[in-house]
Every structure is written in structure tokens, then in C-alpha cells.
Amino acid sequence: MAFEELLIRAGGVGLFQVLQICTLLLSAVLIPFHMILENFSAAVPDHRCWTHVLDNSSEVPTNLTHEALLAISVPPGPDLQPHRCRRFRHPQWQFLNPNVTAANEREAATEPCVDGWVYDHSTFIATVVTRWDLVCGSQSLKPLGQSIFMAGILAGAFVWGFLSYRLGRKPMLSWCNLQVAVAGAATILAPNFFIYCGLRFLSAFGLAGIILAQTTLMAEWTTTHRRAVTMAILGCTYSTGQMALAGLAYALRDWRNLQLAVSIPFLATFLLSWWLPESARWLITTGQPEKALQELQKVARINGHKEAKETLTIEVLKSCMAGEATETRGSVLDLFRVPMLAQRTCVMVVVNFSLMLSYYGLVLDLQSLGRNIFLLQTLFGAVDFLGRATTVLLLRFLGRRVTLVGFLALAGSCILGNVLVPQDLQTLRVALAVLGKGCFGICLTCLAVYTTELFPTPLRMTADGFLQSVGRLGAIAGPLIKMTGQVLPLMPPLTYGALPIAASLVLLLSLPETKGIPLPDTIRDLEG
């Protein structure tokens, strides 16, 4: 609690906080580029089997139309369009006779696409799917790649949550920016899909560290009354990144160019991150008061508090923190040793898992909602921005708990509502999906604020890393649940809708409101 007084002596919220937020937001706007990149870089274009009659120029008859050649080469699929994964073993010339029935077509011998596929390049010049033919028998490799990426986020959240207390917030942020830039750019050189997935894993590993570090640095250098505003700004930046990705993908239709465009800018954020001061909260709780004082005085100078050189001394710092015993590094097990912390941790595990499972089940499946994925992504980003922007007012008037509970339940209800809407009412289905996405945006911003305020400083990064890991488990499970839709069509939407509603009830009955309460520095502060 006493750190709030030190922060006020250093100018409270001033020019430093503005510069810090602007620096951190540069990387924040890039994070969604990688998180939902495969909506575009791994889009699945229309495709059919390569056939000799259609695609071997030396065998193409000049007296027949393209539609006629297609009819004798590729059988119709379930949607009566040319089949994507089968072709006739031999050209069926008899099908040019208008008297041939559908029964005759079904009797014709077919085979898989043994000579490869022909892709529609009208929307994308090249994607990961067309590069390695991730269609038909290999179509499950695309969700596998998404799960590997989410596994990288999971592993990164856990490892960086553990290492942040030993290394500090600032070195972790700088290294992770460099890692994302190098690993992300290297993916275009991958000789096969599995090396591509490995490089995506490394990118995700670094992204997890960036998310952890920037959220914690913003929270720990901001006073209690400004924290919600800061987290809302961060959330709106994520939304801006989602909209910007739609425009970038529209301009760059080759996945390699798009991959480079979203990776190279992290080199700039790597260089910019070096001016940022280390978290003084962290330095104090790890027994480094002299370094903490240097950082506080640096912040005071930037904020224009020249008198801080006299008012901020090592004696003042030790006096303010006299009641705060220096605590040792906490492990994940420490989150469960104190009953109050154990309860908070268990409830937040349920909330994070449910929220992330449903969120990524929705946002990584744009092609199921319509053909214009650029417009859909822009709508998703815009409603997400509006939702996150209004979160500040919601948190101020409703508090953290009520906001999170209400919009979790509403997001789940939107997904369940889509179960009842017929497929031909596409506009209504998109509207419900967009509303659900906006609700999830509010929940994510609220969750960032709420999690920070529920745990004390020595365990904050550990808790954040652990809970993000749990959330990524949900994100990994999302595509797996989607795959069950081939056998049980209602399973994915029922799961995506029911889990947030159940989590909202658990949260409502178990956790306290934290609005207006100073950020806890020790476990004793939770009991005070």
C-alpha cells in the first residue's frame, strides 16, 4: 500500500506515464497481428483436384467450355459445387449428354487428388494452406498449427511468469520483442509445415512475455485511480490492431509479405524498450531499495518534480515501506497455500479457461461466418474497440465484479442464441457474433484490471502467468472442440456458450469487489 505514496511523491500520473504508455502501446498494437494472423495467412481458398483435361494445356479441347470440362473431370460435392477432394478417375465424356442423370454421376469411379490441387487465387495470391496443401486429408494440420501457436503462448506465460521475478520486467520485455521479430520473420524461410509451426511456437512464446511485461509495468507505475483507464487504453490498442490487420491483409495478399509486415516492426519496439525504467515495486519487494530510488527519481524528473531529489531519499523510501516486509519469490504453489489466495486462484482459473476457450473459438473461425473476412475482421475489431472503450465507465459505475459477470453471461448468451438462428439468416448470425465479440472485449479488459488487483506484488506476475497459461489451455482446446462438430454439430456452440455463463455464476458467488482499493503489496494487505 505504501508504494502509492512513493508514486505520488514522484509526480503521480504525469509525462512519464504518458511516454511509457505510448512506448508500450507500439508493441501492443502489433500483438493481435500475430494472434489472429492465420485468419488471413492460413485462409482456405476454394480448390479442386488438378485434372489432365482441365489443367494440362496440351490436352484441353478447344471446342468445349470450362464448365463442360469441369463437369466431366470433377464430381459435384455435397453443396453441388465441384468436389474439393475427389476427381473422376477418367474423363466422363458421357456427362456432356443432357439426358445423363445424377444417378449416373454417382456411379462413375472417383479418386483422391493424387496430382495435387488447383486453388482460387482471386482473394489471396498464396497462403500457408496453398503452400503446403493443408486441405482434404491434411486439413486437420491447420487447427494443429493453431494449437501449437497457442501452446507457445501457454508455455511462454508460464515460463515468463516464473522468470520475471528473477530477471525483472524490463529485460524480459526487451528480449521478447527481439525474439518475436526474429522468429516471426524466419517463418517465411521454413522448408516444411512443421518447422513453420516451430517458429510460430517461438513467436508465441515471446508474445506471452510481452503481454505479461507490458500489463504489469503499466499497472505498477500507475496509481489506483488511473489503473482502469490505463488498462482500457491498452485494450483499445489491441482492438485497433485487429482492425489494422484487416487493412494490412487486404493490401498484402501473399502470406510471406504479410508475415514480414507483422514481424519486422518488433525490432523497433525492441530498441525503444531500452529507455523504460524497471518497476520500482518489483525492486523494492526483491530487496533493492537503492535501485528503486534511482528509478523513482528518474520518473520524478520526467514528470517535472524537481523537488523530488530532496523529498525522495533512501530514508523516505525505507520509512514508507517500513511496514512492508521484503518478501521472497513466490511460486505457483504459494497461490494455494493461503485459503483466501487459493479461492481467488481457483475461481480465476475457471474464468480464464472458459473465457479464452470461447473467445478463440469465435475469432479464429471467421470463414464460417461469411466470405468477406476483411469486412468481418474490421467489424470484430470495431465492436471490440467500442466495448473496451466503454469499459472505463462500466468499471467506474458497476465495479469490476459486476461488469465481468454481466458481460461474460451476455457473451455466452449470444453464442447460444446463434444455435437457434437458421443458417440462411446470415446477417443475424453475424450480428450476434459481433455482439458476442464486443462482450468478450469488455471481459478481457476488465479481467486485466481485476487480476492485477486480486493478487499482491510478489505473486502478481506468477498469478498472471499461471492464469494466462490456464487461459491458453482453453485456447488450445477451442479448435479441438470445433473438430467435434463433424460428428456432433451442436457440441461447439453449446460448449462455447455454456462455459462463460457458468463461469460468471462462479465468479459472482466467490470473489470480492476491488474498485477503489489500493494495489496490494503483501499478502497481509489482502486481509486488511
Side-chain angles (χ1 to χ4, degrees), residues 57-94:
S57 58
S58 62
E59 299 182 18
V60 176
T62 57
N63 60 335
L64 293 176
T65 65
H66 181 271
E67 290 73 17
L69 293 173
L70 192 62
I72 67 173
S73 303
V74 180
D79 57 356
L80 302 181
Q81 297 299 313
H83 204 290
R84 292 185 166 197
C85 301
R86 306 288 296 181
R87 70 179 187 181
F88 290 123
R89 188 167 296 172
H90 304 289
Q92 304 297 306
W93 299 105
Q94 70 274 17

Side-chain angles (χ1 to χ4, degrees), residues 419-465:
V419 176
L420 305 176
V421 179
Q423 290 287 341
D424 55 343
L425 296 179
Q426 198 67 26
T427 302
L428 180 56
R429 292 179 60 82
V430 170
L432 284 173
V434 169
L435 177 59
K437 176 63 166 59
C439 292
F440 279 132
I442 293 173
C443 291
L444 289 169
T445 303
C446 182
L447 193 65
V449 177
Y450 199 33
T451 301
T452 299
E453 296 174 347
L454 283 174
F455 297 94
T457 300
L459 291 172
R460 189 170 298 121
M461 286 286 279
T462 301
D464 201 8

Side-chain angles (χ1 to χ4, degrees), residues 230-248:
T230 302
M231 292 301 144
I233 293 173
L234 180 61
C236 289
T237 305
Y238 291 150
S239 305
T240 303
Q242 294 177 34
M243 290 186 285
L245 176 61
L248 191 63

